[in-house]
Amino acid sequence: MTAIGRPHTAPTPASPGPGGSVLDPRAVAADPDRIKANLARRRADADTVAGVDRIVELSGRRGGLVQERDELRARRNSLSDEIGGLYKAGRRDEAEARKAEVAQGNTRIAELETELGALEEELRATALGLPNLVDDDVPEGTSEADNVQVGTWGTPRTFDFTPQPHVEVGEALGILDLERAAKLTGTRFSVLRGLGARLERSLASFFLDLHTREHGYTEVAVPYLVHARIAEGTGQLPKFAGDMFRLAEPLNGETTYLVPTAEVPVTNLHRDEILEAEQLPLQYVCFTPCFRSEAGSAGRDVRGLIRVHQFHKVELVWVTAPEDSDAAHASLVRHAEEGLRRLELPYRSMLLSSGDTSFSAARCIDLEVWLPSQKAFREVSSCSNFRDFQARRMNLRYRPPGEGGKKGKPAFAHTLNGSGLPLGRVLVALLENYQQADGSVVIPDALRPYVGADRIALGD
RNA sequence: GGAGAGGUGGCCGAGUGGUUGAAGGCGGCAGACUCGAAAUCUGUUGUGCCGCAAGGUACCGGGGGUUCGAAUCCCCCCCUCUCCGCCA
């Protein structure tokens, strides 16, 4: 049967489909220098920046070719009409003369279409490789060192003993078993046991309840496998194929990946749709496992639950009208933060610098939770506003209100998402922040109804 | 896995190879009638691409083919439904 293949680095061509123009081609053509300046802000490489000029050039050539082809088609259509009439009138030789002209035109049309096909494929591939533009007010910078702290909450607890890393805490309690996990799938996997497993399951219920009951999200359950085209829609493909696990065999005829985050299937739910303005905003919350190859992260966070090939996450996804996405982003961040506050975990929020903002995002706020053993804040949530970047890729539109109460032309929606929250890393934070001198771990109040215990002690 | 049926506009549903982007109905929108509403009547009501525009062009699940011309004919694929088998 179908096996899971090794992550691959060669970009898989996703099936061609509609959309695929990443940045607004008109906007690119109108002011390529502005686009290039923005790409420079996010430290795009020279090849990427060169793609802008290539797009301008290809788009221009495309227009001419399309026009010539359409004129030939128009001629063919009218000639065909005439031929029909001539046949009916029995004027065969006149019909034959027109047939000859159509045949000639068809030859040229075929040439043009071959040329157009190649040109459009290159245009598409080039456009898909361009990252989103970062917002103007995103802080200038090259890396996470340039991120700007925009908020902080809680006070790290003071310990009268040396706080242990989560691995020591969990293994000592018998709720975390990395050795046995390694027997099954090698490094970067975990096995939870007893109240450890229950605690993780409780976090899922807790976050889902929080967001559905208090924050207005609709819960969805989705496939954990997606076709390549879907991963292209959110921006994982074509550039980051190596970050995902790919099935060794096509599924239902198409190249298929394990989801790296619920963002991918959930954001794509409404691809190729035109949503009514009244339907917006859409707010989805979705619990899924997440599979990541972690290619290129060898040696980083090798121990424990912080960086693993499989973890669980509750994800928040929004689809909004363009004018509402800034407010939605603020709400999204607040909703994710609320998860940490209810669990009484200290955190800070960081506005990512231009160089640290991910490929698809226009702006991103990371939430970082305090880990006592590392005396450091570690990322638990990236809340991003993608503006219309993903929507263009997946042809996700809505119908804005038009002039005088009439309906307007379909326009691209905005999409956003953020973790709310990842179970593994939150579990790490709980084990570390709530550990006691005797090795037990106190369960925060908010989780006690879910866990059915107020503490995890040795022997539980 | 085996056998069969089917995929047409927001929905239902016609469609003989040639004014069919697509009849008809429902729904939606606008107007008339009304004090208002219902009912009725009239009109209108898809999306992409090229173009300043006028306009042109493409799209009837997807792709290929036949033809001067394809929603209509042929081939391949995908999806949905029914029955059988298997299975959580």
Side-chain angles (χ1 to χ4, degrees), chain A residues 107-145:
Chain A
T107 304
R108 178 61 185 152
I109 288 174
E111 284 170 15
L112 287 166
E113 289 191 328
T114 302
E115 195 176 343
L116 261 174
L119 188 152
E120 286 181 337
E121 185 44 44
E122 185 185 349
L123 191 56
R124 197 181 107 83
T126 307
L128 284 173
L130 287 184
N132 201 354
L133 302 179
V134 290
D135 283 357
D136 288 339
D137 63 338
V138 162
E140 189 66 30
T142 56
S143 73
E144 63 182 288

Side-chain angles (χ1 to χ4, degrees), chain A residues 217-239:
Chain A
Y217 290 77
T218 299
E219 184 175 350
V220 288
V222 299
Y224 306 150
L225 298 168
V226 289
H227 285 158
R229 169 170 6 97
I230 302 305
E232 189 179 277
T234 31
Q236 282 74 20
L237 291 181
K239 262 197 112 168

Side-chain angles (χ1 to χ4, degrees), chain A residues 224-262:
Chain A
Y224 306 150
L225 298 168
V226 289
H227 285 158
R229 169 170 6 97
I230 302 305
E232 189 179 277
T234 31
Q236 282 74 20
L237 291 181
K239 262 197 112 168
F240 308 103
D243 293 345
M244 295 186 289
F245 291 107
R246 187 189 59 181
L247 296 194
E249 302 294 335
L251 172 66
N252 287 328
E254 294 196 43
T255 304
T256 300
Y257 295 84
L258 271 63
V259 295
T261 159

Side-chain angles (χ1 to χ4, degrees), chain A residues 268-286:
Chain A
N268 276 282
L269 281 174
H270 298 283
R271 79 184 345 258
D272 296 319
E273 289 185 25
I274 301 173
L275 300 164
E276 294 303 326
E278 308 81 61
Q279 291 179 262
L280 302 180
L282 297 173
Q283 286 177 259
Y284 288 121
V285 60
C286 184

Side-chain angles (χ1 to χ4, degrees), chain A residues 88-272:
Chain A
K88 215 169 276 182
R91 294 149 69 184
R92 294 209 151 239
D93 29 333
E94 287 173 70
E96 291 305 323
R98 282 164 177 76
K99 276 195 193 182
E101 184 180 346
V102 172
Q104 206 171 17
N106 278 344
T107 304
R108 178 61 185 152
I109 288 174
E111 284 170 15
L112 287 166
E113 289 191 328
T114 302
E115 195 176 343
L116 261 174
L119 188 152
E120 286 181 337
E121 185 44 44
E122 185 185 349
L123 191 56
R124 197 181 107 83
T126 307
L128 284 173
L130 287 184
N132 201 354
L133 302 179
V134 290
D135 283 357
D136 288 339
D137 63 338
V138 162
E140 189 66 30
T142 56
S143 73
E144 63 182 288
D146 302 305
N147 297 345
V148 173
Q149 182 173 321
V150 292
T152 181
W153 185 90
T155 309
R157 179 183 150 204
T158 55
F159 288 83
D160 51 13
F161 59 96
T162 305
Q164 299 297 302
H166 72 277
V167 174
E168 319 304 330
V169 176
E171 290 193 327
L173 285 171
I175 61 171
L176 174 64
D177 191 341
L178 298 173
E179 222 171 290
R180 290 197 173 90
K183 289 204 292 191
L184 306 177
T185 36
T187 188
R188 293 202 191 284
F189 283 88
S190 69
V191 165
L192 297 173
R193 182 186 180 89
L195 283 183
R198 188 189 187 93
L199 181 56
E200 200 207 21
R201 177 160 57 89
S202 299
L203 283 170
S205 293
F206 170 68
F207 290 138
L208 287 168
D209 286 348
L210 173 67
H211 299 308
T212 53
R213 292 176 181 161
E214 301 188 38
H215 297 150
Y217 290 77
T218 299
E219 184 175 350
V220 288
V222 299
Y224 306 150
L225 298 168
V226 289
H227 285 158
R229 169 170 6 97
I230 302 305
E232 189 179 277
T234 31
Q236 282 74 20
L237 291 181
K239 262 197 112 168
F240 308 103
D243 293 345
M244 295 186 289
F245 291 107
R246 187 189 59 181
L247 296 194
E249 302 294 335
L251 172 66
N252 287 328
E254 294 196 43
T255 304
T256 300
Y257 295 84
L258 271 63
V259 295
T261 159
E263 162 194 357
V264 178
V266 176
T267 312
N268 276 282
L269 281 174
H270 298 283
R271 79 184 345 258
D272 296 319

Side-chain angles (χ1 to χ4, degrees), chain A residues 24-73:
Chain A
D24 184 350
R26 289 176 223 281
V28 173
D31 195 354
D33 290 340
R34 186 181 70 85
I35 308 294
K36 286 192 270 188
N38 194 293
L39 295 183
R41 293 194 64 208
R42 62 156 75 236
R43 276 52 174 174
D45 59 42
D47 280 355
T48 303
V49 177
V52 174
D53 290 326
R54 189 73 182 136
I55 285 171
V56 173
E57 185 199 334
L58 292 172
S59 304
R61 278 175 48 199
R62 179 176 173 277
L65 294 175
V66 166
Q67 187 151 20
E68 185 183 350
R69 181 200 58 187
D70 283 358
E71 282 167 4
L72 285 167
R73 280 175 169 173

